Amino acid sequence: MKKMRMRMLRAGAERGYPGSAWVCCWLLGWQAAALQLPPCEETDYHFEYTECDSSGSRWRVAVPNPSVECSGLPDPVKGKECTFSCASGEYLEMKNQVCSKCAEGTYSLGSGIKFDEWDELPAGFSNVATFMDSAVGLSENKASSCNNSSWTPRGNYIESNRDDCTVSLIYAVHLKKSGSVFFEYQYIDNNIFFEFFIQNDQCKEMESTADKWVKLTDNGEWGSHSVTLKSGSNILYWRTTGILMGSKVVKPVLLKNITIEGVAYTSECFACKPGTFSDKPGSSGCQVCPRNTYSEKGAKECTKCKEEMYYADEGSSACIERPPCTNKDFFQIHTPCDKEGKTQIMYKWIEPKICREDLPHALTLPPSGERKDCPPCNPGFYNNASSSCTPCPPGTFSDGTQECKACPAGTEPALGFEYKWWNILPGNMKTSCFNVGNSKCDGMNGWEVAGDHIQSGAGGSDNDYLILNLHIPGFKPPTSVTGATGSELGRITFIFETICSADCVLYFMADVNRKNTNVVESWERSKEKQSYTHVISKNASFTFTWAFQRINEGQDSRQFINDMAKIYSITVTNAVDGVASSCRACALGSAQSGSSCVPCPAGHYIEKENSLCKECPANTFLSIHQVYGREACIPCGPGSTSTEDHSACFSDCLVSYIKDNQSLNYDFSNLSQVGSLMSGPSFTSRGTKFFHFFNISLCGNEGKKMAICTDNITDITLKDMVAESEDFSNFVGAFVCQSTIIPSDSKGFRTALALQSNSLADRFLGATVETTLENISVKTDMFPPSPSKIPDVHFFYKSSTVTTSCENGRATVVAMRCNPNKPDQGELSVPSSCPAGTCDGCTFYFMWESAEACPLCTEQDYHEIEGACKKGFQETLYVWNEPKHCIKGVSLPEKRTSICETVDFWLKVGAGVGAFTAVLLIALTCYFWKKNQKLEYKYSKLVMTANSKECELPAADSCAIMEGEDNEEEIVYSNKQSLLGKLKSLATKEKEDHFESVQLKSSRSQNI
């Protein structure tokens, strides 16, 4: 009937009927149908407003209560305008439509609503849990694994899920006018992604993207977030997603005091929740009941407990019976030293005391007053025959057991703090206790001194944060190295152990310039006695915090009070306003003894002979730990050079290497810009997809660390990060840095998320073709072998950041490989066997293939080709050897053209002479051959004649003896005349009237 009545009212308004006329007609019909019903009493109905029309008007109508049927309801009357609202502490009394003050025990926000009770999920809130990963898919088992994930009410606050499911806390509200939403939260763990956003009733995101990114809060502190709301429907989403958690203990997001402003009116006041009260009319909020009092819902005042038998914490809804005292209800402390050098052991009840000593089996407080010798003063302090230790005056030093003495000439105090004796808490330290859900331990000491160590205190409950703070106003290097600009200004080192039977956690945090506190390192469960060092790289005010928590969930009873953390010593070097336990050499203004210390210029060391400053040699850098003596200047590694101030070594992108008596020179200048690599994807055990993102600043840039990695890139632009890098904790600048990227499609985010940024390389060691440098080695099978004979150049880096898994810090090796097929920036890759870039988490390896990684070209990298001589000219070309494995360097000589006429003429002359000689020889051969035939014929004829007429000699052409010849006849016996003889015969014949002289075969020859 109620719904039908409202629909009829809206239908009449939509059809354009005048309001009063339509109401009258409707009432006549209603009264006719209800003649048989009893008349309505005031308790049978309540008043509501109709929907606002286009003119902003509405009607107040009487609506029967559920399961009530009566007749004679009050007539509808014109209501207040739609934007009307009452002030805080008031509500709209609908009968008379006037604002009235809230009664005692109740409160009102006027035009707002507030959710501050979280014993159960308030009406209107809902939980939606999903597991989103588009790459892996939403399988049934993963979807069902998130069924138990939800936001959990915890009394004063509501807590997010602790797994890697995506859980949304949703609330829908319809505002009649513009308003806002305000809430308080704790968000300390960046392993959870937390966002707040608003959608309208069409599921479109409202224009509040700048306000949806919720910033991290300091450990134990509540932050606040406020967003403007538009009139109309607003659907509010608080969404959390676990990221890369593995087995790590996760700190959930906490919400409380959600307040929404902009509702049109409040028709009733809200009763104060249990544990609070309101003692004045017109209250806009309720007060918390003090300790040992309680209240029920809607209380005007708090009721006291019978303190002898019961107790109640602040804001309690009931009194609790006091249990018998046990050894978990008291602790011991050491009193300050007296004049006799004695300290007393005192036992105290944990405050507030909630146990009873008069019950059976209850323990009483052990007797106090046992006297023990006081520990000595800490180094840099001296008691000076008093009961307290005081710091040594400036310019003096002490080991804590002797009087303060002045530093000798030529030395200065080594300022810092070294706390290793814990009789009283040092003046620059303080301790406290904090709990997000209650105030049990407010005002308690979180840590207690115990002689040779300081240990976590009892606290009020097992999930308290036990806090120890150390404030250092700044860091200052020794006078002699004031001008140095090295990466280390000081360091803090502490020795600790944790003794736990549950999932305790010890956090070590650092706050820079009191702006934000960030977790530097954490240790879970029991840890053996060990040392940890944190390097300070910039001069700022630091507050170091140790926070110990036994368990991360609240419990009604104390079970782990004996779990504790112990810190044995804390040492801080180069601290401003520090004390000295020793002196160190310094530079003097002149060689005269007794001169005061003066700062050495940057890159200068102190000579041992005369204590004067002297600049380090070229390509060396000054040690940050030692400035005394020539050995303080450390040589730079191969392929590196020192900065102008000798503060560090860097690569100028030029590397040389001699191979087979041939020098290979490399120039990586074109790769000096930051190179990036996204490796993956990888998946968590639950299937969440993520990538490893690396930035590499290889060389150049005068040694500046150009690689930048940042967390929460959606929260602040990179430009703003760079501008505020001095104080922005999630900003990492290094030679090589790494971030973990969660893609937008992995968890249903609207944009990618970057987190866990850290430095992998902040010091350059050297560049060489060798595979080992300073105990960092590259395995030959780490990357595929190079197809060319050009060796890879390895750039070695080191990171000074020490972690629990990398006690010596991280190291990085970038292998530069010549690959002519990959021009410009080329390609970065990681080993196939280590897709995260590292196999052990401490040493990272990268391969950078590029044509720019090839050596510079030399004359041995090309050859010449001579062309044919054409028209008196000959060309000589120069081409690169193939395959080409070099860049830049020498360039190819230009094509050379030369005249070739002289060479052509002599070739022709030679050819002509050769041809003529050949023809002449052929002619002579033919001529002499013919003559020889004739002579042989005649000779043969003579022989035949001689044989036919024995003893008869043929008639000779001439038998006379010429003048000058011997009378004795010489006979030459020959069967065949030689060619030379024939030529001679022919010549004789021509000269001597053609007489022929023929050698005959004599008969004498036969007789010989």
Side-chain angles (χ1 to χ4, degrees):
M1 292 174 61
K2 170 185 174 183
K3 293 182 179 178
M4 179 184 70
R5 184 176 179 186
M6 297 298 292
R7 285 198 297 269
M8 292 175 63
L9 284 171
R10 286 195 291 267
E14 291 172 356
R15 294 175 183 175
Y17 296 119
S20 57
W22 168 254
V23 171
C24 289
C25 295
W26 178 81
L27 284 175
L28 290 175
W30 176 265
Q31 290 173 353
L35 291 176
Q36 306 300 324
L37 297 177
C40 292
E41 302 288 341
E42 286 190 5
T43 57
D44 295 333
Y45 60 87
H46 63 278
F47 294 104
E48 290 184 5
Y49 281 126
T50 62
E51 295 289 338
C52 296
D53 57 23
S54 57
S55 63
S57 301
R58 57 186 173 180
W59 292 85
R60 189 208 67 177
V61 296
V63 179
N65 294 328
S67 69
V68 174
E69 294 184 358
C70 61
S71 60
L73 290 172
D75 296 337
V77 297
K78 191 173 181 63
K80 294 283 188 181
E81 61 274 11
C82 291
T83 58
F84 174 81
S85 63
C86 296
S88 59
E90 298 180 341
Y91 72 101
L92 183 62
E93 198 274 305
M94 293 292 290
K95 180 177 181 180
N96 300 316
Q97 298 193 75
V98 295
C99 292
S100 301
K101 288 186 177 183
C102 292
E104 296 176 349
T106 63
Y107 74 98
S108 169
L109 300 178
S111 61
I113 50 178
K114 184 176 183 179
F115 301 96
D116 56 0
E117 291 185 60
W118 299 99
D119 297 314
E120 59 182 5
L121 201 64
F125 281 88
S126 61
N127 270 304
V128 175
T130 57
F131 186 90
M132 288 188 258
D133 197 314
S134 60
V136 179
L138 184 60
S139 58
E140 293 183 2
N141 58 338
K142 290 178 182 175
S144 61
S145 66
C146 291
N147 290 340
N148 296 326
S149 297
S150 66
W151 287 77
T152 306
R154 296 292 186 188
N156 292 328
Y157 57 90
I158 185 170
E159 177 184 284
S160 73
N161 57 307
R162 295 170 179 261
D163 52 28
D164 53 353
C165 294
T166 299
V167 183
S168 297
L169 179 67
I170 305 173
Y171 184 77
V173 63
H174 187 84
L175 301 185
K176 299 299 182 181
K177 60 180 180 179
S178 298
S180 63
V181 57
F182 170 87
F183 58 90
E184 295 180 67
Y185 70 95
Q186 272 199 16
Y187 176 30
I188 62 176
D189 194 341
N190 60 7
N191 287 298
I192 293 181
F193 180 56
F194 178 40
E195 58 180 337
F196 171 72
F197 60 95
I198 307 163
Q199 291 182 347
N200 57 20
D201 51 3
Q202 282 81 38
C203 292
K204 292 183 179 180
E205 191 167 335
M206 309 292 278
E207 297 178 0
S208 59
T209 55
D211 301 316
K212 68 185 178 185
W213 307 112
V214 183
K215 299 181 183 297
L216 290 168
T217 60
D218 292 341
N219 208 356
E221 295 186 5
W222 288 91
S224 62
H225 194 74
S226 178
V227 179
T228 301
L229 301 178
K230 293 184 177 181
S231 59
S233 296
N234 292 267
I235 306 174
L236 313 181
Y237 290 83
W238 292 266
R239 188 163 78 175
T240 59
T241 303
I243 304 168
L244 304 179
M245 290 172 291
S247 60
K248 183 177 178 63
V249 178
V250 177
K251 297 296 181 182
V253 176
L254 310 181
L255 287 178
K256 70 176 184 179
N257 294 337
I258 299 177
T259 304
I260 301 173
E261 294 280 354
V263 296
Y265 64 93
T266 300
S267 59
E268 60 181 355
C269 296
F270 301 99
C272 290
K273 68 177 183 178
T276 63
F277 69 99
S278 171
D279 57 354
K280 296 180 181 179
S283 297
S284 58
C286 300
Q287 303 177 53
V288 178
C289 287
R291 195 181 303 274
N292 291 327
T293 64
Y294 74 98
S295 71
E296 297 178 349
K297 190 171 184 177
K300 300 178 182 179
E301 60 181 10
C302 298
T303 305
K304 289 186 177 182
C305 300
K306 294 182 179 180
E307 295 189 21
E308 297 80 9
M309 302 176 61
Y310 299 91
Y311 75 97
D313 294 322
E314 191 178 67
S316 296
S317 59
C319 295
I320 303 174
E321 186 177 358
R322 294 182 181 271
C325 293
T326 66
N327 59 358
K328 297 181 180 180
D329 293 305
F330 60 85
F331 62 96
Q332 72 173 28
I333 63 171
H334 292 72
T335 62
C337 293
D338 56 23
K339 294 182 179 181
E340 299 177 357
K342 301 290 184 179
T343 180
Q344 290 183 321
I345 298 178
M346 308 295 292
Y347 293 90
K348 290 186 175 182
W349 293 110
I350 295 175
E351 295 294 339
K353 182 183 176 184
I354 61 173
C355 64
R356 292 177 60 183
E357 302 176 64
D358 56 350
L359 293 176
H361 307 293
L363 296 181
T364 59
L365 196 66
S368 299
E370 181 184 357
R371 291 167 59 85
K372 289 186 175 182
D373 292 335
C374 281
C377 293
N378 283 308
F381 293 83
Y382 185 63
N383 57 20
N384 290 323
S386 64
S387 60
S388 61
C389 296
T390 57
C392 287
T396 63
F397 71 100
S398 172
D399 61 358
T401 61
Q402 300 178 358
E403 295 182 359
C404 300
K405 299 179 181 179
C407 287
T411 63
E412 63 177 341
L415 298 179
F417 294 102
E418 183 181 358
Y419 298 129
K420 60 181 181 180
W421 301 111
W422 304 91
N423 181 248
I424 61 172
L425 197 65
N428 58 348
M429 299 185 72
K430 65 179 182 178
T431 180
S432 60
C433 180
F434 178 81
N435 191 297
V436 298
N438 58 62
S439 57
K440 291 181 180 180
C441 70
D442 290 357
M444 291 185 179
N445 286 335
W447 293 68
E448 298 289 346
V449 294
D452 64 343
H453 66 274
I454 184 172
Q455 64 187 32
S456 56
S461 56
D462 286 345
N463 67 331
D464 291 342
Y465 286 102
L466 305 173
I467 309 296
L468 179 66
N469 301 113
L470 169 63
H471 179 67
I472 304 296
F475 288 86
K476 180 183 179 182
T479 302
S480 299
V481 294
T482 303
T485 58
S487 59
E488 180 178 330
L489 288 179
R491 55 177 55 194
I492 178 172
T493 302
F494 58 93
I495 300 174
F496 72 98
E497 72 172 329
T498 55
I499 304 170
C500 301
S501 58
D503 295 331
C504 69
V505 185
L506 174 65
Y507 297 93
F508 173 60
M509 298 172 285
D511 176 285
V512 183
N513 291 331
R514 300 184 182 273
K515 288 191 175 182
N516 49 15
T517 302
N518 289 276
V519 176
V520 178
E521 191 59 84
S522 62
W523 298 267
E524 301 171 10
R525 302 182 179 89
S526 293
K527 296 295 180 184
E528 295 180 353
K529 191 174 181 180
Q530 58 186 275
S531 175
Y532 180 80
T533 299
H534 176 62
V535 176
I536 309 301
S537 58
K538 58 184 176 183
N539 187 14
S541 173
F542 279 82
T543 298
F544 300 104
T545 301
W546 293 263
F548 180 72
Q549 188 181 40
R550 293 181 171 92
I551 56 174
N552 58 11
E553 294 183 1
Q555 295 183 345
D556 294 334
S557 60
R558 300 295 302 273
Q559 300 180 14
F560 307 104
I561 192 171
N562 293 323
D563 292 1
M564 66 178 64
K566 295 181 179 181
I567 297 178
Y568 293 92
S569 67
I570 301 175
T571 303
V572 183
T573 63
N574 298 340
V576 173
D577 297 335
V579 295
S581 60
S582 62
C583 300
R584 56 186 154 200
C586 67
L588 303 178
S590 66
Q592 299 175 0
S593 176
S595 297
S596 60
C597 294
V598 297
C600 282
H604 287 61
Y605 68 95
I606 305 172
E607 286 189 308
K608 294 182 178 180
E609 294 77 11
N610 51 24
S611 296
L612 297 180
C613 300
K614 187 173 182 179
E615 185 177 5
C616 283
N619 293 329
T620 63
F621 69 96
L622 189 64
S623 169
I624 56 179
H625 304 293
Q626 163 71 13
V627 295
Y628 193 62
R630 171 63 179 78
E631 58 272 18
C633 301
I634 304 174
C636 292
S640 64
T641 183
S642 62
T643 56
E644 291 184 3
D645 59 1
H646 297 277
S647 61
C649 296
F650 73 99
S651 171
D652 58 2
C653 299
L654 302 178
V655 179
S656 297
Y657 167 65
I658 298 178
K659 176 185 178 184
D660 299 331
N661 295 325
Q662 180 184 354
S663 178
L664 296 180
N665 298 308
Y666 298 83
D667 185 358
F668 301 103
S669 298
N670 289 343
L671 300 178
S672 62
Q673 300 299 320
V674 176
S676 299
L677 168 66
M678 183 89 75
S679 68
S682 300
F683 299 90
T684 64
S685 58
R686 292 287 294 271
T688 301
K689 181 172 66 176
F690 66 94
F691 294 85
H692 292 291
F693 181 74
F694 302 94
N695 278 329
I696 300 176
S697 176
L698 183 71
C699 60
N701 304 302
E702 294 297 324
K704 296 179 181 178
K705 303 166 187 175
M706 304 300 293
I708 296 174
C709 294
T710 55
D711 286 356
N712 298 335
I713 57 175
T714 52
D715 186 15
I716 183 170
T717 64
L718 182 60
K719 180 179 179 182
D720 292 337
M721 284 181 178
V722 175
E724 300 177 4
S725 60
E726 286 299 318
D727 298 317
F728 188 75
S729 58
N730 293 328
F731 174 94
V732 176
F735 290 116
V736 183
C737 62
Q738 176 193 27
S739 294
T740 301
I741 303 295
I742 309 297
S744 58
D745 61 351
S746 179
K747 288 286 189 179
F749 301 146
R750 287 173 294 283
T751 185
L753 176 68
L755 68 161
Q756 298 178 349
S757 296
N758 53 68
S759 169
L760 304 182
D762 54 26
R763 184 165 69 93
F764 177 67
L765 302 180
T768 176
V769 296
E770 302 297 332
T771 57
T772 301
L773 183 65
E774 294 192 17
N775 298 323
I776 304 172
S777 298
V778 182
K779 297 181 180 178
T780 55
D781 58 349
M782 187 69 67
F783 294 99
S786 175
S788 68
K789 296 182 179 180
I790 303 298
D792 296 339
V793 179
H794 301 105
F795 281 71
F796 291 85
Y797 302 88
K798 188 78 174 176
S799 174
S800 58
T801 303
V802 178
T803 64
T804 53
S805 57
C806 304
E807 296 181 355
N808 298 320
R810 297 185 177 97
T812 301
V813 182
V814 182
M816 306 302 297
R817 175 168 293 180
C818 173
N819 190 334
N821 298 324
K822 296 181 179 179
D824 301 328
Q825 290 292 308
E827 180 182 355
L828 275 163
S829 61
V830 294
S832 57
S833 58
C834 307
T838 178
C839 297
D840 59 3
C842 297
T843 305
F844 291 76
Y845 300 94
F846 302 93
M847 172 68 73
W848 196 335
E849 297 181 83
S850 171
E852 298 292 337
C854 295
L856 300 180
C857 295
T858 63
E859 289 80 0
Q860 286 75 27
D861 293 307
Y862 64 83
H863 62 277
E864 65 178 25
I865 300 177
E866 294 183 348
C869 186
K870 296 180 180 179
K871 297 181 181 181
F873 296 94
Q874 184 183 40
E875 293 183 346
T876 303
L877 300 177
Y878 298 89
V879 295
W880 295 110
N881 299 333
E882 293 294 339
K884 182 185 177 184
H885 288 106
C886 66
I887 59 168
K888 297 182 286 189
V890 300
S891 56
L892 279 177
E894 296 182 358
K895 179 176 62 177
R896 189 179 68 188
T897 303
S898 59
I899 300 175
C900 55
E901 288 183 349
T902 305
V903 178
D904 191 38
F905 172 76
W906 285 109
L907 282 175
K908 291 179 180 179
V909 171
V913 172
F916 174 77
T917 304
V919 172
L920 180 61
L921 289 174
I922 293 173
L924 289 175
T925 302
C926 292
Y927 173 76
F928 287 118
W929 178 80
K930 188 175 181 181
K931 285 289 185 181
N932 184 58
Q933 292 296 320
K934 290 180 179 182
L935 292 175
E936 286 183 353
Y937 172 74
K938 290 181 178 182
Y939 177 77
S940 298
K941 192 174 180 181
L942 288 175
V943 171
M944 291 177 62
T945 304
N947 291 335
S948 63
K949 296 181 178 181
E950 189 175 346
C951 300
E952 289 187 11
L953 293 175
D957 291 334
S958 175
C959 294
I961 298 176
M962 303 300 294
E963 290 187 19
E965 296 182 344
D966 293 336
N967 292 332
E968 184 178 356
E969 183 183 60
E970 293 182 2
I971 300 175
V972 178
Y973 301 92
S974 176
N975 293 328
K976 189 174 180 181
Q977 192 176 11
S978 66
L979 178 60
L980 182 58
K982 293 179 181 180
L983 290 176
K984 289 182 178 180
S985 300
L986 180 61
T988 305
K989 182 179 179 182
E990 291 177 350
K991 293 181 179 179
E992 300 180 1
D993 300 329
H994 304 283
F995 287 106
E996 294 184 4
S997 181
V998 180
Q999 294 181 352
L1000 299 179
K1001 190 173 184 182
S1002 169
S1003 61
R1004 189 190 304 179
S1005 64
Q1006 298 176 359
N1007 299 324
I1008 295 177

